[in-house]
Amino acid sequence: SQQGEEDPQALSIQEGENATMNCSYKTSINNLQWYRQNSGRGLVHLILIRSNEREKHSGRLRVTLDTSKKSSSLLITASRAADTASYFCATGLMDSNYQLIWGAGTKLIIKP
Amino acid sequence: DAGITQSPRHKVTETGTPVTLRCHQTENHRYMYWYRQDPGHGLRLIHYSYGVKDTDKGEVSDGYSVSRSKTEDFLLTLESATSSQTSVYFCAISERANEKLFFGSGTQLSVL
C-alpha cells in the first residue's frame, strides 16, 4: 500500500452530522497536511500538523496526529452541503524537503 | 486560486506533438511544482523548482521538462506527447518547501 492512504475511499452523510476521515502512512514524517478539492477545481490547503503536534483546530475542522500509529484523522463537525468534496492527506517526509506523498483521497458527499 | 494562474485550461493535442503548459504566480513564492492527477491516484510530482533556474525531477518526470527563467513563471513541456500523458495537470506554489501549497485551477490535457 502507499504512503498517505485515506480511509474510507468514500463517505456519504446527512447534513449536520460529523464526518471523520483517516490517513495512514509508513515512514517518518515532518508534517502531515490535509487538502480539499471540489469537483473540477484545484486543491485547497486546510491544515498542516507537524510531527511534534498531536491536535490542531481550524474552525469546524479538527486534525489529530498519532505518530506511534502513523495515522491522522480529519474531523469535520456539523457538516454542510458545501463540504462535499474530495479530501486528501499529504505527508512531508523526514528525509526529503521536496517530496510530498499524496493519498488517493476520500470522497465526501453531504446529503441535504 | 488568487495569485496563481494556469494556461491553457484545456488542451487537445495529437500524439507526438510538443505541448507547453504555463504557470504564472503573483505571490513571489520561491517554490513551484507541477503535478499530474489521474483517477484513482493521488497527486504525482513531475518537476519542482526552488528558485529561478533551479529545478529538479519528481517521481514521474520522464517525457517532461521544465523551465523557470523568472520567479513568476514555471513552464512544463511535454516534448513529444503520448496518450499516457492524458491527465489533469496542476501547478502549485509555496513559500516554504512542501508546506501549504496553493494550487492553480488545473489544465485538462487530452492526447489523442
Side-chain angles (χ1 to χ4, degrees):
Chain A
S1 58
Q2 296 181 4
Q3 177 94 341
E5 286 192 343
E6 290 95 343
D7 169 58
Q9 290 186 327
L11 180 62
S12 181
I13 61 173
Q14 292 293 139
E15 192 168 20
E17 295 180 338
N18 296 340
T20 299
M21 288 158 273
N22 303 296
C23 173
S24 60
Y25 59 92
K26 291 186 172 181
T27 60
S28 296
I29 62 171
N30 278 322
N31 65 74
L32 187 145
Q33 302 170 54
W34 286 93
Y35 290 79
R36 182 188 74 234
Q37 184 179 34
N38 293 92
S39 181
R41 305 292 299 274
L43 284 75
V44 174
H45 179 267
L46 297 175
I47 287 185
L48 180 151
I49 186 165
R50 300 197 183 278
S51 59
N52 61 350
E53 298 176 310
R54 292 296 167 260
E55 187 171 313
K56 286 190 84 168
H57 297 255
S58 177
R60 295 183 295 113
L61 306 181
R62 172 178 169 249
V63 168
T64 60
L65 178 64
D66 187 335
T67 52
S68 67
K69 295 182 179 179
K70 291 186 168 57
S71 68
S72 173
S73 67
L74 170 67
L75 169 67
I76 303 174
T77 60
S79 63
R80 305 168 182 169
D83 294 328
T84 293
S86 292
Y87 292 81
F88 295 87
C89 71
T91 49
L93 303 184
M94 187 72 76
D95 60 356
S96 171
N97 286 331
Y98 302 110
Q99 186 80 344
L100 274 180
I101 305 297
W102 297 80
T106 292
K107 188 165 186 176
L108 175 65
I109 296 174
I110 308 299
K111 296 178 287 186
Chain B
D1 300 342
I4 177 170
T5 55
Q6 291 184 233
S7 59
R9 289 297 311 277
H10 300 90
K11 174 83 175 176
V12 180
T13 191
E14 294 184 348
T15 298
T17 59
V19 176
T20 295
L21 308 183
R22 181 178 183 242
C23 179
H24 178 78
Q25 63 148 327
T26 57
E27 304 296 325
N28 201 36
H29 285 351
R30 176 181 176 186
Y31 300 95
M32 299 186 76
Y33 316 81
W34 277 108
Y35 283 94
R36 61 178 289 173
Q37 184 178 38
D38 302 290
H41 292 271
L43 292 175
R44 291 183 289 175
L45 182 66
I46 305 171
H47 282 278
Y48 61 91
S49 170
Y50 46 97
V52 174
K53 298 185 179 178
D54 291 323
T55 65
D56 207 345
K57 297 178 180 180
E59 64 177 310
V60 291
S61 60
D62 287 348
Y64 302 94
S65 62
V66 290
S67 66
R68 190 172 179 196
S69 58
K70 298 184 291 184
T71 298
E72 55 266 35
D73 291 324
F74 194 32
L75 304 180
L76 175 71
T77 297
L78 287 66
E79 293 137 11
S80 177
T82 67
S83 58
S84 65
Q85 293 176 312
T86 291
S87 186
V88 180
Y89 291 85
F90 286 101
C91 177
I93 62 175
S94 68
E95 285 188 283
R96 295 182 61 171
N98 273 327
E99 292 189 8
K100 300 180 183 179
L101 274 59
F102 291 91
F103 283 81
S105 297
T107 294
Q108 174 70 61
L109 177 67
S110 297
V111 183
L112 305 178

